[in-house]
Amino acid sequence: MKNKGIMKINVCKRLMFAVCFAAGVAVYGQDATGHVNPFLSEFNTPYGVPPFEQITVADYREGFLKGMEEQKQEIDAIVNQRSMPDFENTIVALDRSGAMLNRVAYVFFGQSGCNTNAEMQALEQEMAPLLSAHSDDISLNKRLFQRVKEVYENRAKFNLDKEQAKLLEETYKSFVRSGANLSDADQQKLRALNEKISTLQITFEQNMLKETNAFKLIITDEKDLSGLPASLIAQAAETAKGMGEEGKWVFTLHNPSIMPFLQYADNRALRERIYKAYINRGNNGNDADNKQVVRDLITARLEKAKLMGYEDYASMVLEDRMAKNEKNVYDLLNQLWTPALAKAKEELADIKAEIKREGNDFEPEGWDWRYYFEKAKKHKYDMDENEIRPYLELNNVRDGAFYMAKRLYGITFRPLEYMPKPHPEAQVFECIDKDGKPLGILYFDFFPRASKSGGAWCGEYRPQSYDENGNKVVPVVTIVCNFTKPSAGEPALLSPDEATTLFHEFGHGLHSLFCDVHYTGVSGVPRDFVELPSQIDEHFTFEPEMLQVYAKHYKTGEVMPTELVEKYDKSSKYGQGFATVEYLAASLLDMDFHTLKSVPADMDVMEFEAKTLGDRGLLKQIPSRYRTTYFAHTMGGGYTAGYYSYIWAEVLDCDAFGAYVESGNLFDPEVASKFRKYVLTPGGIDDAMDMYVNFRGKGPDIKWLLEKRGLDTPAPLKQDKE
């Protein structure tokens, strides 16, 4: 997903609407030891990447404070100039303001997601209200807005090109959507709400990380490891050793540990214990409980929406997305819910049959689904995912993604030595375009640790931009994952899902590397479009032509046998009932929270969750992919009233991949060239649907998604354009 890094980076994008990383800043800030704050000048490193090892928490703090001070002076210079407002002296100047603050924010929020500590978290809490206030000081600056408005109202006389016109439009809309037209009294209310929301979102995420790290399932009896793969057992032993529990086995709530445990552990009581710990994160009545945080957060968001003239928060958010309104979102989700739930019930029947096959007579629960589903799949297709892992060695899969990019776009990746890294485990590559020019720097950070948030994401330590002299500044991109960590002396072997995740995040990385815009204000795309570049790459992961290149046994070098490829292909649609239902449940939960027209003061958010999903017939064995108290996508920001975006974009990516299917060439150069030109390169200069139609020649057809997921075709979907 493009979120985690971007989800936090959006905080700084909202601050400034602008970035110019090539702007020079005088060097100052040397402390008594001679240490100079790296943020107070351009980074003196290869490609200008952050000098991670040199940066202290004090440097971040000083950088934030001086960055805000510097941008305030830049804004004052814009509003106090005597020249009449025009595109260059107002819109471009605003877009380029905040260079130092952006430099700090991109690095800090990138690191807070993947390499945090108590000091970083304390600074995050300290800075949240200050950054929120600074953002409001810009977006609610009446004199600044008056200049922006004057340029906007006289835009016809400035002879702007397409990108400039879009920047002007987006800048003006950003002010309006940030409350520039509100009364002074309402602006003060908005300031307070923005500060509250920002602080609550950070608190939610920090609580979630604390809860995830708090639980450990410690096994002392080797019999309790029955059913588990040897690689997982070995990793659990290493985890235990690292925690001072040598001779035991420790399983955690990080996905590479808990998910295979639920999938293979024969001990039902232990599956129940770790499952309940997982789904109750943030719901334990302790100092990391998120229920009150959620209630306060959705209340503050609703108050903000109503202050801005909307009946609910989702209406405000969706206005500038592809979906446009709540009806279109619910129409898509509800269209898929019925066939997905029917498929899930078929899978549940198979699970019950497996339980009976073993001579048991109990009703399956949530902690039984993955375990008995794995048995059902093996019974139906003679397929065990552990047969595939030896062919999915991490570096080979990564190189497979590189191969895909080279075949499609002609680009190459070269490993770099002696480069600053965001973490010692990180890998770093230079991306080179087909004309030999550098496209940017790409980091990979693959494995879980206590200092890293869960999940997988792509972010930027510096986005693509142009300096004041018109020179392109290449991006510094990071892909962060939580893959199964290898045991000592062994390679990292990925599950099929992890391999797909790598291709997914790599797609986000390509989007960042290919972006070529002159203004930061037009670099982004709507949230429900942003997953298209990542999800289309997922389709390549298990294409036979791709597997021949990278899926080689880590011991023998043997390419994955055709019979195994065919078995996996036949079984790949099995389980889509569960996968689709758990995803749709989370999407509906997100929407239901943010379409509320009022929030009772005594609202029990867990009761709300139970009712909103129970009324739709969600099976008790399938929890929402993210339950309320650990649903960081929506409660942490980034995908608020937007978790539906993955399935919305999947309609697009399945149809887009259909262009390759129709051409009969997996690496069709014409299709790839058009995708790069119309989707990956232009940022947000064009309307999202226009970008898609420019590439495909028509709007998307949902049939490709239904075929991919193996769902029955529902009634045609009509989009409300209002």
Side-chain angles (χ1 to χ4, degrees):
M1 62 186 173
K2 182 79 168 178
N3 71 321
K4 274 279 188 185
I6 294 303
M7 184 162 61
K8 291 179 181 289
I9 293 308
N10 276 343
V11 175
C12 78
K13 282 195 172 180
R14 177 178 170 269
L15 291 173
M16 289 64 86
F17 325 112
V19 176
C20 181
F21 283 96
V25 181
V27 177
Y28 56 99
Q30 180 172 302
D31 65 19
T33 68
H35 173 77
V36 177
N37 189 333
F39 290 117
L40 305 186
S41 65
E42 291 186 47
F43 297 144
N44 185 25
T45 57
Y47 283 101
V49 304
F52 298 102
E53 300 91 342
Q54 300 174 23
I55 300 171
T56 67
V57 175
D59 291 337
Y60 286 123
R61 188 177 190 279
E62 181 184 27
F64 273 127
L65 296 176
K66 289 187 180 297
M68 286 186 279
E69 177 187 343
E70 182 178 282
Q71 191 177 27
K72 182 179 183 301
Q73 294 170 358
E74 292 166 342
I75 298 302
D76 288 344
I78 294 172
V79 300
N80 291 327
Q81 62 185 305
R82 294 185 177 181
S83 303
M84 293 296 291
D86 63 28
F87 181 75
E88 288 292 330
N89 70 24
T90 299
I91 306 304
V92 174
L94 176 58
D95 191 69
R96 288 180 173 163
S97 70
M100 184 196 303
L101 183 53
N102 275 281
R103 185 184 296 117
V104 178
Y106 272 98
V107 181
F108 177 79
F109 288 117
Q111 285 285 277
S112 71
C114 71
N115 198 22
T116 193
N117 55 43
E119 279 188 283
M120 291 273 285
Q121 291 181 331
L123 181 61
E124 198 170 17
Q125 289 281 2
E126 179 188 353
M127 288 296 112
L130 299 182
L131 292 170
S132 176
H134 178 70
S135 172
D136 288 337
D137 286 343
I138 297 172
S139 59
L140 300 178
N141 185 316
K142 293 184 181 300
R143 294 173 64 197
L144 179 61
F145 177 55
Q146 188 55 44
R147 290 186 68 89
V148 170
K149 185 177 181 181
E150 191 168 336
V151 177
Y152 181 73
E153 290 177 342
N154 292 283
R155 56 193 178 278
K157 74 177 187 180
F158 293 115
N159 193 30
L160 304 178
D161 64 26
K162 187 176 184 179
E163 183 176 2
Q164 292 170 332
K166 184 67 170 179
L167 174 64
L168 175 56
E169 179 186 356
E170 290 302 313
T171 303
Y172 176 75
K173 285 167 57 178
S174 292
F175 274 91
V176 173
R177 288 178 59 79
S178 297
N181 285 327
L182 295 178
S183 67
D184 290 347
D186 283 346
Q187 286 187 357
Q188 289 305 310
K189 292 178 184 177
L190 181 62
R191 285 176 178 270
L193 287 168
N194 285 338
E195 178 182 327
K196 185 174 185 179
I197 290 168
S198 176
T199 301
L200 286 168
Q201 289 178 169
I202 288 171
T203 300
F204 182 95
E205 288 210 336
Q206 291 185 356
N207 284 347
M208 192 186 78
L209 180 60
K210 185 176 180 180
E211 285 279 88
T212 299
N213 288 333
F215 177 86
K216 298 171 186 62
L217 177 63
I218 302 176
I219 292 179
T220 57
D221 189 339
E222 193 169 0
K223 289 185 296 185
D224 290 331
L225 301 173
S226 174
L228 297 177
S231 59
L232 186 65
I233 294 172
Q235 182 55 51
E238 290 212 1
T239 302
K241 184 178 179 180
M243 295 178 176
E245 298 282 355
E246 192 164 2
K248 302 176 184 177
W249 298 268
V250 172
F251 297 88
T252 70
L253 300 185
H254 294 282
N255 274 9
S257 182
I258 181 176
M259 293 308 168
F261 189 91
L262 291 173
Q263 196 170 0
Y264 296 108
D266 292 332
N267 189 316
R268 188 173 186 240
L270 292 180
R271 294 202 310 270
E272 178 181 4
R273 183 179 166 197
I274 198 170
Y275 171 88
K276 286 183 174 179
Y278 182 82
I279 67 168
N280 283 304
R281 288 175 294 164
N283 184 29
N284 291 306
N286 54 22
D287 62 353
D289 194 284
N290 268 331
K291 293 192 290 294
Q292 184 65 46
V293 177
V294 171
R295 183 161 58 246
D296 291 346
L297 189 53
I298 60 175
T299 300
R301 286 172 175 168
L302 178 58
E303 290 177 10
K304 177 178 177 177
K306 289 188 173 181
L307 190 64
M308 295 295 295
Y310 299 88
E311 64 176 358
D312 56 46
Y313 192 77
S315 297
M316 183 178 74
V317 168
L318 294 171
E319 187 177 58
D320 63 349
R321 293 188 179 162
M322 287 187 75
K324 303 302 182 188
N325 58 53
E326 299 161 10
K327 179 181 182 301
N328 290 332
V329 175
Y330 277 117
D331 281 351
L332 175 61
L333 299 179
N334 291 332
Q335 180 186 20
L336 296 171
W337 180 259
T338 299
L341 190 60
K343 188 68 69 175
K345 289 177 179 178
E346 292 177 12
E347 294 164 6
L348 179 58
D350 290 343
I351 286 169
K352 290 180 177 180
E354 289 299 322
I355 292 173
K356 288 186 177 180
R357 198 188 310 277
E358 289 189 346
N360 295 311
D361 188 27
F362 57 79
E363 181 69 13
E365 300 289 348
W367 51 91
D368 295 315
W369 189 289
R370 293 176 187 274
Y371 179 76
Y372 284 104
F373 172 78
E374 188 65 26
K375 290 179 176 291
K377 185 166 68 172
K378 188 168 182 61
H379 182 79
K380 280 177 172 283
Y381 301 100
D382 190 27
M383 183 71 242
D384 182 348
E385 284 189 2
N386 286 310
E387 296 178 62
I388 296 179
R389 278 185 184 267
Y391 297 93
L392 300 180
E393 191 274 324
L394 172 59
N395 291 322
N396 285 346
V397 178
R398 179 206 63 203
D399 290 346
F402 288 168
Y403 172 83
M404 173 194 69
K406 184 175 183 179
R407 288 291 306 274
L408 290 173
Y409 309 114
I411 65 175
T412 54
F413 290 84
R414 180 171 70 92
L416 297 178
E417 301 294 335
Y418 312 112
M419 285 282 284
K421 296 179 180 180
H423 189 274
E425 294 180 346
Q427 302 175 3
V428 57
F429 294 85
E430 176 188 34
C431 179
I432 303 168
D433 207 347
K434 58 185 176 182
D435 62 3
K437 295 179 181 179
L439 273 173
I441 298 298
L442 178 62
Y443 288 107
F444 289 102
D445 182 359
F446 285 126
F447 304 118
R449 51 183 174 266
S451 62
K452 182 193 285 189
S453 298
W457 64 91
C458 177
E460 297 163 328
Y461 285 115
R462 182 183 70 207
Q464 175 270 325
S465 64
Y466 280 84
D467 65 22
E468 291 179 336
N469 297 317
N471 299 311
K472 186 176 181 180
V473 181
V474 298
V476 178
V477 182
T478 180
I479 289 174
V480 185
C481 303
N482 280 277
F483 294 152
T484 306
K485 196 167 186 176
S487 303
E490 294 293 322
L493 304 178
L494 303 186
S495 68
D497 182 64
E498 288 173 327
T500 302
T501 295
L502 192 153
F503 272 73
H504 175 107
E505 300 305 338
F506 183 69
H508 281 310
L510 292 178
H511 195 190
S512 292
L513 290 166
F514 283 141
C515 182
D516 191 0
V517 298
H518 292 82
Y519 308 105
T520 298
V522 294
S523 63
V525 297
R527 176 60 67 190
D528 44 13
F529 187 81
V530 76
E531 296 298 334
L532 166 60
S534 57
Q535 291 178 182
I536 191 172
D537 282 10
E538 292 183 27
H539 293 264
F540 290 86
T541 314
F542 287 100
E543 282 291 316
E545 192 173 346
M546 280 293 305
L547 293 172
Q548 288 291 317
V549 173
Y550 79 84
K552 300 176 181 178
H553 198 283
Y554 76 102
K555 287 184 177 178
T556 67
E558 175 197 11
V559 173
M560 188 185 294
T562 303
E563 315 85 73
L564 184 57
V565 174
E566 291 175 349
K567 271 203 304 183
Y568 178 76
D569 182 62
K570 289 178 181 177
S571 68
S572 61
K573 290 185 177 66
Y574 189 59
Q576 283 300 316
F578 175 92
T580 308
V581 165
E582 68 156 3
Y583 165 77
L584 293 175
S587 301
L588 290 162
L589 183 61
D590 170 35
M591 287 298 297
D592 286 356
F593 270 122
H594 293 104
T595 54
L596 286 171
K597 308 301 185 287
S598 63
V599 181
D602 61 347
M603 178 183 186
D604 185 322
V605 297
M606 301 313 293
E607 284 185 5
F608 179 87
E609 174 188 305
K611 179 170 174 54
T612 194
L613 299 180
D615 286 353
R616 290 185 171 93
L618 179 66
L619 301 176
K620 70 172 185 175
Q621 296 88 354
I622 304 180
S624 172
R625 180 177 294 180
Y626 299 102
R627 299 191 69 201
T628 298
T629 52
Y630 56 90
F631 198 170
H633 285 76
T634 182
M635 300 306 169
Y639 283 75
T640 305
Y643 194 62
Y644 76 89
S645 299
Y646 289 93
I647 203 79
W648 186 279
E650 192 173 347
V651 175
L652 302 177
D653 74 69
C654 289
D655 183 84
F657 188 72
Y660 291 99
V661 175
E662 291 167 352
S663 78
N665 181 357
L666 183 63
F667 302 108
D668 189 299
E670 183 179 350
V671 175
S673 178
K674 290 175 68 176
F675 192 76
R676 176 175 178 173
K677 178 180 179 180
Y678 294 118
V679 176
L680 299 179
T681 299
I685 296 173
D686 293 318
D687 177 79
M689 187 55 78
D690 288 343
M691 282 194 283
Y692 189 82
V693 172
N694 288 340
F695 157 66
R696 194 69 164 99
K698 62 181 182 64
D701 190 332
I702 198 173
K703 72 175 185 179
W704 296 97
L705 177 146
L706 297 168
E707 180 179 314
K708 174 192 171 188
R709 288 187 172 248
L711 302 177
D712 295 331
T713 305
L717 178 66
K718 294 182 180 179
Q719 182 168 335
D720 182 353
K721 296 182 180 180
E722 293 300 321

